[in-house]
Amino acid sequence: QVQLVESGGGSVQVGGSLKLSCVASGYIFTYCGMAWYRQAPDKKRELVSSISRDGSTTYAESVKGRFTISHDNTTNTLYLQMNSLKTEDTAAYYCAGRYMNFGRCVPNTWGQGTQVTVSS
């Protein structure tokens, strides 16, 4: 049974840092790898960052240069280091396992989410 469990969220001030973790139990890290998504109140869930099995990464424009995604193959744990946080980063953050569907990597497994709140 696949289970993704996030942790590391919290409340910080603008400019602060947080590191999110997602322990993936029973999940096989396939070509599409894993990703972090976030959803702010009254907004659609958006892709923040992804990492594939070959180590390639993607970032949303809004977080480039501030966030870093990584994956520990030994513990099958996904991380998101978030620096220089802004109020607009406030959201529930979800890790997701992804798979290839018609040539695209799409999420098919979700964690329960962890809240990040950035205040000025």
Side-chain angles (χ1 to χ4, degrees):
Q1 182 179 355
V2 176
Q3 189 175 22
L4 306 180
V5 179
E6 302 101 330
S7 62
S11 297
V12 295
Q13 291 190 322
V14 169
S17 298
L18 283 173
K19 187 173 185 177
L20 306 183
S21 300
C22 172
V23 178
S25 303
Y27 177 75
I28 299 174
F29 200 76
T30 63
Y31 170 79
C32 286
M34 299 182 72
W36 289 98
Y37 292 76
R38 68 185 180 187
Q39 187 168 17
D42 299 323
K43 291 190 176 181
K44 292 183 178 180
R45 190 170 297 190
E46 64 173 348
L47 175 64
V48 176
S49 181
S50 69
I51 184 166
S52 299
R53 187 171 59 190
D54 64 2
S56 59
T57 59
T58 68
Y59 295 94
E61 283 296 325
S62 60
V63 307
K64 278 183 180 178
R66 300 188 298 121
F67 290 10
T68 303
I69 192 171
S70 61
H71 179 259
D72 184 330
N73 293 325
T74 302
T75 61
N76 207 8
T77 301
L78 182 71
Y79 297 100
L80 186 67
Q81 177 67 48
M82 306 185 295
N83 298 327
S84 303
L85 283 162
K86 304 176 180 180
T87 54
E88 50 264 45
D89 295 319
T90 295
Y93 284 72
Y94 301 87
C95 73
R98 307 203 304 169
Y99 79 113
M100 185 71 72
N101 186 38
F102 294 103
R104 293 182 61 198
C105 291
V106 296
N108 67 332
T109 305
W110 294 94
Q112 83 286 355
T114 186
Q115 179 68 34
V116 172
T117 302
V118 185
S119 59
S120 58

